[in-house]
Amino acid sequence: MDRQLGAADSVAASTFSEVVVDVQPSFNADVHSRLRHSRNSINSSASAADNKKGRWENLVLAYKTLGVVFGGLVTSPLYVYPSMPLKSPTEDDYLGIYSIMFWTLTLIGVVKYASIALKADDQGEGGTFALYSLLSRKMDIGFFSAKNLDSNSIFHEGAENKSRLGKFFEKSILARRILLFIAMLGMCMLIGDGILTPAISVLSAMDGIRAPFPSVSKSLVEALSAIVLIVLFLLQKFGNFPSEFSFSPPSWVHGHSVLLCWNYSIIHHYPGIFKALSPHYTFHFFWRKGKEGWLLLGGTVLCITGSEALFADLGHFNRSSIQMAFLFTIYPSLVLTYAGQTAYLIRHPNDHEDGFYKFIPKSVYWPIFIIATLAAIVASQSLISATFSVIKQSVVLDYFPRVKVVHTSSNKEGEVYSPEVNYILMILCVAVILIFGEGKDIGNAFGVVVSLVMLITTILLTLVMIVIWRTPSLLVALYFLVFFTMEGVYVSAVFTKIPEGGWIPFAISFFLAFIMFGWFNGRQKKIEYELTHKIDLERLGTLLSDPGVQRVPGLCFFYTNIHQDGLTPILGHYIKNMRSLHKVTVFTTLRYLLVPRVAPEERIIVRKLGLKGVYGCVIQYGYADTLNLEGNDFVNQVTDCLREHIEKYLDCLPSNPVDIQEEISALEEAKLSDVIHVRGKTRFYIGKNCKRFDRIMLAFYEVLHSNCRSALPALSVPLSQRIEVGMLYEA
């Protein structure tokens, strides 16, 4: 399959005369600015004035990250100790736990994410999906080959100088499927994070009501938490209603106010707490506790909750700002916060189930409670927004059925909202709180998500080191041995919690993975059929030469999934039954690439197909780009590109100027006469020879396809201009 499409791409380069036209100047300027910023962060430094300006910009961005990126990390002390199944803990137990948390934050937070992972960006984007995209292009193993890059694309990274591992992945379909499954699992786990983070953060914060009012029942706290989350989800349609500047103060004030209280706790309760920074206490803890200590890792891992956001939110900020905020604010704050919390618990060992609120002095209790609740809401908002972003990326690359995606900001392309996804998240979050209200059960589920996402990132980063960075084998082995072993131990510990709430993220992830795989399988079967039964230009010429086929006035945009060396079989079905084709027909493909953003000069590609009034057009977008063209704007931009193409075609090849002028006039007349948009509405006919597995998966795909949204509303095409042509594809 991969190779078929790749061949089609190479043939097309020599078959069609092609001119790329730059459009959308204001949008292009923004993309160029982003590309320049990305290059400047890697290449040599600019002037002293630019450096000074860059430092101020990084400081402002670092401030914004406190709420948007680090909301989860800042609020993690609310639920780390309450999630641990401690039984009569001693001073040595608490010292060992604090030592484990310190080295987890240091190795995973500082070394892995802040120092290594942030360098593995894909054109400025981060996260597990970006790593998969980077590897797919470098090793030429992308499963969505219909959306792969042309051989002459500026993003094409070629097959030259491939490593042995890259060649192995290219040859082994099993290895490619495993890599795809790992990437899908990472995306599903991140979506699960968007369900569990709001639940555990808000529930843990609201639980502070019970300290001054012991008569308040757990059920009332759960109901109040559910109400807060329902209001939060209902406000999503207005976008990130607080700005990034508004996100940061709750997290900043929460972190520093709690930090002051914990510093008092260290001095007042246990000044010698920092001796636990020695790894001796970690080893001594496991030596004493054995299996019990290993099981406690299921709660300890929550101290690094939100660390994946350092990498996943890279596209919204930059490497320097995230590193600055984490290394100089978040990391030292967490180390001191957990030190103060542990110091208090050493003197009050049985308060671990509510070890956050009980130490707070009565005079500042309610301000701290309000700040902690606001910080929990901010952390929830951050993960909800990240979930919308992941769903959008999955939809545009055909990993996920099409859902409505609304851009809630005119100047921030990353701010998106999906009504269907939003209400599903709301129902699941409220259900998790009301059904699994016990904090330890939600903590167990959360631990599974955190540890698995970290492990998946480690595996993909190791492949990046080998295939792309060409890191020396000794350093790769050292990295993999340390982090895979460490995170593998964490994963093995949280797996024991599956019966106690840990099954929740697995149920969510496997359900989502089943949807993604069913959609993926159906789309692949559809592409295979279209490639097998495609209409080439010679066949199209034969159909149009039939005297019974009329060329009617007007401009037709005929949408097709294949655009290289052939056209969709729906075209033949349309001409045979309608016995007509418009005088000017533009075969249009909405083409999403495995890159974050497409350069402006590659956005719209037009070409003549060798027949009178017949053209090809490809609209290219990356998974972080915004497809927000209005219907009339889209028509105007494409026709402008066609006009420029015809004129440049005149300059490049010997042509009759009269014929060229007639062609331009025909284009304008067709545009003024009528504009229609034709797309196929295909279904699979499942024959008797179809295997049982294919029958089940294709039937599931048909259910998804019949309930998902059309691709045309993304271009704001008026209903009166749409025509859908039905056709059965035999499976």
Side-chain angles (χ1 to χ4, degrees):
M1 182 66 186
D2 294 1
R3 303 272 63 81
Q4 283 178 329
L5 289 165
D9 286 350
S10 61
V11 170
S14 58
T15 302
F16 302 128
S17 86
E18 188 172 287
V19 175
V20 180
V21 183
D22 189 4
V23 296
Q24 291 179 294
S26 60
F27 181 80
N28 291 347
D30 177 64
V31 178
H32 274 306
S33 175
R34 290 176 179 270
L35 291 174
R36 285 196 299 271
H37 177 76
S38 177
R39 295 189 188 103
N40 289 342
S41 65
I42 301 173
N43 297 333
S44 58
S45 59
S47 64
D50 290 338
N51 285 338
K52 185 176 180 180
K53 182 181 178 181
R55 284 194 296 269
W56 277 110
E57 288 177 350
N58 284 336
L59 284 173
V60 172
L61 286 174
Y63 169 75
K64 292 180 180 180
T65 64
L66 295 178
V68 178
V69 178
F70 300 110
L73 270 170
V74 168
T75 56
S76 60
L78 286 167
Y79 46 78
V80 171
Y81 273 113
S83 298
M84 295 183 192
L86 294 170
K87 299 176 182 178
S88 303
T90 64
E91 176 182 331
D92 286 341
D93 292 340
Y94 280 120
L95 290 173
I97 290 170
Y98 176 63
S99 181
I100 293 170
M101 288 194 290
F102 169 76
W103 285 106
T104 299
L105 285 167
T106 302
L107 290 175
I108 295 178
V110 176
V111 178
K112 176 184 170 180
Y113 281 105
S115 302
I116 300 175
L118 288 179
K119 296 180 180 178
D121 65 293
D122 181 23
Q123 304 291 332
E125 293 289 324
T128 54
F129 180 79
L131 289 175
Y132 173 73
S133 170
L134 193 64
L135 289 166
S136 295
R137 286 187 287 109
K138 186 65 179 181
M139 297 190 292
D140 195 22
I141 60 169
F143 273 76
F144 296 92
S145 301
K147 295 171 172 51
N148 279 352
L149 305 176
D150 288 335
S151 57
N152 60 343
S153 170
I154 63 170
F155 288 110
H156 182 70
E157 298 188 22
E160 66 278 0
N161 300 322
K162 281 186 180 176
S163 65
R164 285 182 293 179
L165 184 61
K167 294 177 180 177
F168 167 74
F169 272 98
E170 187 175 349
K171 293 177 181 178
S172 172
I173 189 171
L174 177 62
R176 299 204 302 271
R177 285 177 175 170
I178 291 174
L179 185 62
L180 176 63
F181 172 77
I182 290 173
M184 280 187 173
L185 184 61
M187 285 190 290
C188 293
M189 284 292 174
L190 186 58
I191 295 171
D193 202 358
I195 297 169
L196 295 173
T197 293
I200 194 171
S201 298
V202 174
L203 182 63
S204 300
M206 295 296 291
D207 198 50
I209 296 176
R210 300 178 66 199
F213 301 107
S215 60
V216 174
S217 66
K218 190 75 173 176
S219 299
L220 180 58
V221 172
E222 293 170 6
L224 290 174
S225 302
I227 291 171
V228 170
L229 285 177
I230 289 172
V231 172
L232 179 63
F233 279 106
L234 291 178
L235 290 171
Q236 293 304 309
K237 62 182 177 181
F238 301 108
N240 288 347
F241 46 95
S243 67
E244 291 163 340
F245 274 89
S246 301
F247 271 138
S248 300
S251 297
W252 188 89
V253 174
H254 170 74
H256 287 78
S257 59
V258 170
L259 183 60
L260 293 174
C261 295
W262 286 132
N263 286 336
Y264 166 79
S265 177
I266 293 171
I267 297 170
H268 184 70
H269 294 295
Y270 199 89
I273 184 66
F274 292 109
K275 66 183 180 182
L277 300 184
S278 168
H280 161 75
Y281 286 88
T282 298
F283 295 112
H284 184 60
F285 174 80
F286 288 117
W287 180 263
R288 287 187 310 100
K289 305 294 288 186
K291 182 180 179 180
E292 184 182 347
W294 168 63
L295 293 175
L296 286 174
L297 291 176
T300 309
V301 72
L302 297 181
C303 73
I304 200 67
T305 298
S307 59
E308 182 68 21
L310 271 77
F311 186 35
D313 286 331
L314 183 59
H316 297 288
F317 299 96
N318 62 36
R319 185 192 310 164
S320 300
S321 62
I322 293 175
Q323 288 176 330
M324 190 183 303
F326 180 73
L327 296 175
F328 296 105
T329 302
I330 302 301
Y331 172 69
S333 174
L334 286 174
V335 170
L336 292 173
T337 296
Y338 285 118
Q341 200 170 11
T342 306
Y344 171 82
L345 290 174
I346 287 174
R347 295 297 180 233
H348 306 82
N350 295 321
D351 285 351
H352 57 86
E353 291 190 358
D354 190 18
F356 181 82
Y357 281 112
K358 282 193 174 181
F359 86 98
I360 298 175
K362 292 183 179 180
S363 58
V364 295
Y365 186 90
W366 289 111
I368 293 292
F369 170 78
I370 293 171
I371 293 169
T373 304
L374 289 174
I377 292 173
V378 166
S380 303
Q381 175 63 47
S382 302
L383 263 297
I384 293 168
S385 299
T387 303
F388 290 152
S389 181
V390 168
I391 291 291
K392 181 227 175 183
Q393 293 179 6
S394 303
V395 167
V396 299
L397 278 169
D398 259 356
Y399 279 85
F400 202 80
R402 288 185 294 271
V403 294
K404 184 177 182 179
V405 176
V406 179
H407 293 267
T408 57
S409 174
S410 58
N411 56 3
K412 296 176 184 176
E413 61 188 2
E415 288 190 12
V416 294
Y417 160 73
S418 173
E420 298 98 330
V421 174
N422 181 61
Y423 293 121
I424 291 173
L425 286 178
M426 181 180 73
I427 293 170
L428 291 176
C429 277
V430 172
V432 166
I433 287 179
L434 298 181
I435 298 174
F436 307 97
E438 177 61 40
K440 287 183 180 179
D441 286 344
I442 301 178
N444 292 336
F446 207 14
V448 171
V449 170
V450 172
S451 57
L452 272 178
V453 170
M454 290 191 307
L455 190 64
I456 288 170
T457 302
T458 291
I459 294 171
L460 295 178
L461 269 176
T462 303
L463 292 175
V464 168
M465 289 180 176
I466 297 171
V467 175
I468 300 174
W469 292 351
R470 303 297 176 91
T471 306
S473 301
L474 183 61
L475 294 179
V476 174
L478 180 63
Y479 168 83
F480 185 77
L481 181 65
V482 170
F483 290 102
F484 188 82
T485 302
M486 183 179 181
E487 292 162 1
V489 172
Y490 270 126
V491 169
S492 66
V494 298
F495 270 23
T496 64
K497 308 295 183 182
I498 288 179
E500 303 169 14
W503 61 269
I504 300 173
F506 276 105
I508 295 170
S509 298
F510 280 108
F511 177 70
L512 290 171
F514 182 67
I515 291 176
M516 294 173 76
F517 181 78
W519 183 259
F520 161 78
N521 182 71
R523 300 298 286 180
Q524 287 296 292
K525 293 289 185 183
K526 183 179 179 181
I527 291 173
E528 287 176 5
Y529 183 92
E530 290 182 342
L531 286 172
T532 305
H533 299 84
K534 63 189 176 184
I535 304 293
D536 57 24
L537 294 179
E538 183 179 352
R539 173 64 176 156
L540 177 59
T542 302
L543 290 172
L544 295 179
S545 64
D546 187 338
V549 176
Q550 304 296 318
R551 299 297 296 272
V552 297
L555 172 61
C556 171
F557 288 90
F558 206 111
Y559 293 87
T560 173
N561 288 325
I562 54 176
H563 61 278
Q564 304 285 16
D565 198 33
L567 299 167
T568 174
I570 297 172
L571 174 62
H573 184 65
Y574 175 82
I575 294 176
K576 286 179 181 178
N577 288 276
M578 300 296 291
R579 308 300 294 171
S580 65
L581 190 69
H582 284 73
K583 288 185 177 180
V584 177
T585 301
V586 182
F587 293 101
T588 307
T589 302
L590 304 179
R591 186 173 182 231
Y592 291 94
L593 306 180
L594 285 173
V595 295
R597 295 178 179 85
V598 174
E601 62 270 14
E602 293 201 343
R603 177 59 49 80
I604 294 181
I605 301 176
V606 295
R607 56 181 174 265
K608 296 184 66 174
L609 298 186
L611 298 172
K612 184 178 180 180
V614 179
Y615 306 92
C617 174
V618 180
I619 312 295
Q620 299 192 130
Y621 278 80
Y623 58 77
D625 278 331
T626 304
L627 182 59
N628 58 355
L629 299 176
E630 295 294 330
N632 290 333
D633 291 341
F634 167 72
V635 172
N636 290 333
Q637 289 177 17
V638 173
T639 52
D640 289 345
C641 291
L642 285 172
R643 189 185 305 108
E644 290 189 36
H645 172 71
I646 294 169
E647 292 172 352
K648 291 182 179 179
Y649 192 74
L650 171 63
D651 296 335
C652 297
L653 297 174
S655 304
N656 188 342
V658 176
D659 293 339
I660 297 297
Q661 189 58 46
E662 287 180 356
E663 190 172 356
I664 294 176
S665 299
L667 177 63
E668 292 298 325
E669 289 176 7
K671 178 181 173 182
L672 295 174
S673 175
D674 187 25
V675 178
I676 67 165
H677 299 258
V678 179
R679 68 180 291 267
K681 189 72 174 180
T682 59
R683 293 191 62 184
F684 280 106
Y685 172 75
I686 303 173
K688 295 181 180 180
N689 296 328
C690 191
K691 297 179 181 178
R692 180 176 296 180
F693 176 78
D694 288 335
R695 283 173 175 267
I696 295 172
M697 295 309 299
L698 289 177
F700 181 58
Y701 169 77
E702 285 299 325
V703 172
L704 295 174
H705 189 259
S706 61
N707 288 281
C708 73
R709 293 178 179 265
S710 167
L712 285 187
L715 296 175
S716 301
V717 176
L719 283 172
S720 60
Q721 295 182 2
R722 298 185 202 173
I723 294 178
E724 292 188 346
V725 180
M727 184 175 177
L728 289 176
Y729 286 1
E730 186 174 1

